[in-house]
Amino acid sequence: MTAPSPLRRTRLRPADLLRLGMIGPRTRRLRTALSALGISLGIAAVIAVTGISASNQAHLLARLDQLGSNLITVAPGKDQNQQTVPLPPTAEKMLANIAPVQQVTATGATKAEVYRNDLVPKEQTGSITVLATRLNLLDVLHATLRSGRWLDGASENLPVTVLGDQAAQRLGVTAPGERVWLGGQWYAVTGILTPNELAPELAAAALVGWPQAMAHLGADGTAATVYLRSHPERVPDVQAVAGATANPAAPGKVAVSRPSDLLTARNETKGALTGLVLSLAAVALLVGGVGIANTMVVGVMERRGEIGLRRALGARGGQIAAQFLLEAVLMGFIGGIGGLVTGSLTVYGYALVQGWPASIPLYTIATGPAVSVTVAALAGIYPALRAARASPTDALRSA
């Protein structure tokens, strides 16, 4: 009598395991959709909360930058005799070469005076200065025109001027198109500036194109004031080297503005909002993780009858655990991607309505789907292993 041959243990190839893992999502579409929806909502909440908070932070920091938190002015200083030391002709270009500097513009002194007409006595200047200006002055200072238009590549070579608001008031100019007597000839007023807190000295100035000032108004081509827009995080670094860069021979005789109180406010605001975003992300991840875990535990536990039946038909516990773990991972992945898309659309839509720059932290985009997969796997493997270890009769009885 021959001995019975030992039972061969069944083995599943990866392809077979993948097909088994897809049985649940294919046959229980409603439950799978609801499970994935629960996961998506958890991840979408994480993306939306952190994204909206980050967008609000980006909007506020951009507003502070527009107000001048990253603006530095460089001007001639004074020597020991309190005499003004002009900046070298190369100062403007040298300052533009500082790596963190993003924008540079300048105004230059002239020898001209401006009057309402040619009959006004010369001593009645009204304390109005005539300055040569670069064409990008408005962009760097974020200044605007009350009326009229700014200088361009053609008009900077012509006898035209843009007046500050105080200069226009003192000269009695109410609208562009009028003429003023400037440097011994008539100049047409093309625009009037609105008050600008970043450069209050422009309020009482008449601005003319740089080539026109050099050719007819006695400007020597050197900058009277250089305005720098630096990378917001590097303002102190630029300030530290600006004097030596503008005038290497006499760095102590260069007047460099100190970072404004707006810079301090910006740094404090960024730190506070960054901490807030991280805190909200942690809370949202915790809440989303609990929701994912609950969804997966309920989904797996209700299938213990199926697990018992498969055990009775000869399936091993490891195979059952692997099948349900794969199902959990698949639902976590689908839910994570869906949550990422839903949360991102929410952030971009909200930012569009509010007029904010949309910003979603990269760590949130990377960790959102990863967390959904990890939490789904952890939530799904425990009840699957517990059911897999039970005997077929116990599993079927508890179903």
Side-chain angles (χ1 to χ4, degrees):
M1 184 176 179
T2 59
S5 59
L7 294 176
R8 298 182 60 185
R9 303 184 67 181
T10 59
R11 296 181 180 275
L12 287 177
R13 295 176 299 177
D16 296 330
L17 183 60
L18 180 61
R19 283 195 293 270
L20 283 175
M22 293 296 296
I23 290 177
R26 288 202 310 265
T27 58
R28 295 174 174 83
R29 296 180 181 179
L30 180 59
R31 186 185 64 82
T32 301
L34 293 177
S35 299
L37 178 61
I39 296 172
S40 297
L41 293 178
I43 299 303
V46 174
I47 300 295
V49 168
T50 56
I52 291 175
S53 300
S55 299
N56 189 10
Q57 179 189 36
H59 169 70
L60 181 56
L61 294 180
R63 290 288 297 165
L64 290 176
D65 289 342
Q66 287 182 350
L67 293 176
S69 64
N70 63 338
L71 181 69
I72 298 174
T73 59
V74 179
K78 295 183 178 181
D79 58 16
Q80 60 273 17
N81 298 321
Q82 298 301 307
Q83 298 296 318
T84 301
V85 180
L87 295 175
T90 59
E92 187 179 354
K93 291 183 179 180
M94 294 296 290
L95 290 168
N97 290 329
I98 301 176
V101 172
Q102 299 171 328
Q103 291 178 296
V104 177
T105 191
T107 58
T110 69
K111 298 179 180 179
E113 302 288 352
V114 58
Y115 306 94
R116 185 64 182 92
N117 55 54
D118 56 349
L119 302 178
V120 178
K122 291 185 177 181
E123 62 273 10
Q124 296 182 10
T125 61
S127 300
I128 301 173
T129 58
V130 179
L131 299 175
T133 183
R134 300 294 188 188
L135 296 181
N136 64 338
L137 183 70
L138 295 190
D139 292 334
V140 176
L141 296 180
H142 296 156
T144 57
L145 290 168
R146 189 178 73 191
S147 59
R149 57 185 177 84
W150 179 243
L151 303 172
D152 55 30
S155 61
E156 68 171 349
N157 297 283
L158 300 175
V160 297
T161 182
V162 175
L163 301 178
D165 62 304
Q166 294 181 13
Q169 183 179 5
R170 295 173 188 175
L171 291 171
V173 176
T174 58
E178 301 184 37
R179 297 193 305 168
V180 294
W181 186 253
L182 194 156
Q185 61 176 318
W186 291 106
Y187 272 65
V189 177
T190 61
I192 300 175
L193 295 174
T194 55
N196 188 288
E197 295 181 357
L198 302 181
E201 64 275 9
L202 300 182
L207 304 173
V208 297
W210 202 279
Q212 176 71 11
M214 291 184 62
H216 302 284
L217 303 178
D220 58 6
T222 61
T225 304
V226 181
Y227 303 94
L228 309 177
R229 283 280 181 180
S230 170
H231 189 283
E233 309 294 338
R234 304 290 299 279
V235 171
D237 298 333
V238 174
Q239 182 207 11
V241 301
T245 303
N247 191 352
K253 298 176 182 177
V254 178
V256 181
S257 67
R258 299 179 60 185
S260 66
D261 293 337
L262 283 173
L263 178 62
T264 303
R266 183 189 189 280
N267 293 334
E268 293 178 353
T269 300
K270 181 179 180 182
L273 290 179
T274 299
L276 176 62
V277 170
L278 293 177
S279 300
L280 291 175
V283 173
L285 281 174
L286 177 61
V287 174
V290 171
I292 293 171
N294 180 67
T295 301
M296 294 308 304
V297 168
V298 172
V300 173
M301 291 298 294
E302 69 180 9
R303 297 178 63 186
R304 293 188 64 184
E306 176 186 341
I307 295 172
L309 180 60
R310 290 201 58 214
R311 287 296 310 277
L313 294 176
R316 289 183 292 158
Q319 295 172 348
I320 294 175
Q323 173 191 347
F324 283 89
L325 174 61
L326 182 58
E327 286 188 21
V329 169
L330 289 175
M331 282 192 290
F333 178 75
I334 295 172
I337 296 300
L340 176 60
V341 174
T342 303
S344 300
L345 291 176
T346 302
V347 172
Y348 279 93
Y350 189 83
L352 180 63
V353 172
Q354 296 293 329
W356 297 348
S359 176
I360 301 176
L362 292 178
Y363 64 83
T364 305
I365 297 176
T367 58
V371 167
S372 69
V373 171
T374 302
V375 174
L378 293 176
I381 193 172
Y382 171 72
L385 288 177
R386 182 178 177 182
R389 286 196 299 266
S391 65
T393 55
D394 293 338
L396 289 171
R397 188 180 302 116
S398 62

